[in-house]
Amino acid sequence: MLLAFAGPGRRVLSFAPTYSMYPEYARDTHSEWCTVPRRDDFTVDPDAAAAAVLQARPDVVLITSPNNPTGTAVSLETIQAICDVAPGVVVIDEAYYEFARIGTPSALELLPYHPRLAVSRTMSKAFAFAAGRLGYLAAAPAFIEALRIVRLPYHLSALTQAAARVALAHAPEMLAKVDQLRQARDDLASWLAGRGLQVAESDANFVLFGRFEDRHAVWQALLDRGVLIRETGPDGWLRASAGTPTEMQAFKDALVAVLGTEIDKEIR
C-alpha cells in the first residue's frame, strides 16, 4: 500500500505507540514518517486525531486496531473522524481482530462510506498460520486496482495458496482456540491487575503490563526462569501472550518469584 500511495515527497502518519515495522516500511519506500501520541491509556482521541491529520496532511494514515503493541482497539468514531478529513488513504490494520472482545466493531462497517479506506487482516494470528505469510484486505475496487499495479507478479506461492484454502475449509477447527485465548487473556489481565500492576485494556491475544523502572531486568529474570515474553512497547512496559493453562501458570509462577526477589526494589 505504501508503494501505491506513499513514496518520495509523501507522508505516512500513525498513532504511537504503534507497530514497529511501519517506520521501516516508510523508510523502504522513501516516505516521510510521522506519529501522533496516543492518550495515556493508549486510546486515540477522535478530535485530536482529526486535528493532527488536518495539520499533517498525510498521504497514508495507518491505524492498528487492536493496536500492536498495546492491544487497544480504536473506536469507529475515531476512524470515522479521521476518514472525514484525511486527504489520502486510511488503512486499518486488524491483524488481531479475531481476538477482540465480543461487540467490538470492525472498520469493515465503514467501507461502504469511504472509498479511500482499506481494512487489512492476516491468517498469521487467529489461524496460527504465521509461516504462510498470508495477509488480505477489503477495500473499494479502485483501491484494489491501485495495489495490483505495484504488486510483485509472484508474491504468493502456490503452496501458500493451497495451504490457505485448506485452512479456510477447516476454519471452525482452526479458530477453535480463539475463545480459549480470549479467556486466557482476560484472566491474565485480571491477575496482573490483582498484583498491583498497570494493565492496558486488550482486544488482542496478549496483555501489556507495567510499569517497571527497569523492564529489561524483569524480562531477563523471567528468561532466566525459562519464561520468554516480549520486551516491547513504551518504556517500562512488558508484553505477555495468552497461552495454554500450563504456560500461563509457568508465567505467573515466574513473575511472582521475580517480583519477590531482591531486585524487586530496583525494577518496580
Side-chain angles (χ1 to χ4, degrees), residues 79-100:
I79 296 172
Q80 176 75 58
I82 292 170
C83 288
D84 286 344
V85 299
V89 300
V90 178
V91 181
I92 311 302
D93 182 348
E94 291 190 345
Y96 291 92
Y97 180 76
E98 288 86 352
F99 300 102

Side-chain angles (χ1 to χ4, degrees), residues 75-77 79-80 83 92 94 97 103-114 117-119 121 138:
S75 69
L76 290 191
E77 175 192 8
I79 296 172
Q80 176 75 58
C83 288
I92 311 302
E94 291 190 345
Y97 180 76
T104 301
S106 167
L108 289 171
E109 297 180 22
L110 299 178
L111 283 180
Y113 314 105
H114 298 285
L117 172 67
V119 181
R121 291 192 182 177

Side-chain angles (χ1 to χ4, degrees), residues 13-80:
L13 180 145
S14 191
F15 299 88
T18 190
Y19 183 40
S20 60
M21 288 301 297
Y22 288 159
E24 303 301 321
Y25 300 152
R27 181 200 64 189
D28 291 345
T29 54
H30 302 280
S31 311
E32 179 187 349
W33 170 251
C34 62
T35 60
V36 177
R38 292 169 175 259
R39 292 165 167 156
D40 290 341
D41 63 356
F42 305 123
T43 58
V44 179
D45 179 84
D47 294 332
V53 170
L54 281 171
Q55 180 178 5
R57 307 291 296 171
D59 299 275
V60 180
V61 178
L62 296 174
I63 305 172
T64 315
S65 180
N67 187 40
N68 181 355
T70 67
T72 318
V74 178
S75 69
L76 290 191
E77 175 192 8
T78 300
I79 296 172
Q80 176 75 58

Side-chain angles (χ1 to χ4, degrees), residues 204-218:
N205 64 338
F206 55 78
V207 176
L208 191 77
F209 66 99
R211 295 185 171 181
F212 305 102
E213 291 186 11
D214 185 352
R215 70 172 179 181
H216 182 72
V218 181

Side-chain angles (χ1 to χ4, degrees), residues 100-176:
R101 288 168 289 187
I102 302 300
T104 301
S106 167
L108 289 171
E109 297 180 22
L110 299 178
L111 283 180
Y113 314 105
H114 298 285
R116 287 181 283 109
L117 172 67
V119 181
S120 66
R121 291 192 182 177
T122 181
M123 295 186 74
S124 292
K125 312 302 182 185
F127 277 84
F129 192 43
R133 313 311 303 153
L134 179 59
Y136 56 97
L137 65 85
F143 196 116
I144 301 299
E145 285 303 311
L147 300 183
R148 289 169 60 86
I149 293 172
V150 299
R151 74 174 178 89
L152 296 173
Y154 307 110
H155 69 298
L156 199 60
S157 74
L159 291 176
T160 295
Q161 294 178 63
R165 287 179 179 272
V166 173
L168 289 173
H170 296 84
E173 295 93 333
M174 298 293 290
L175 297 173

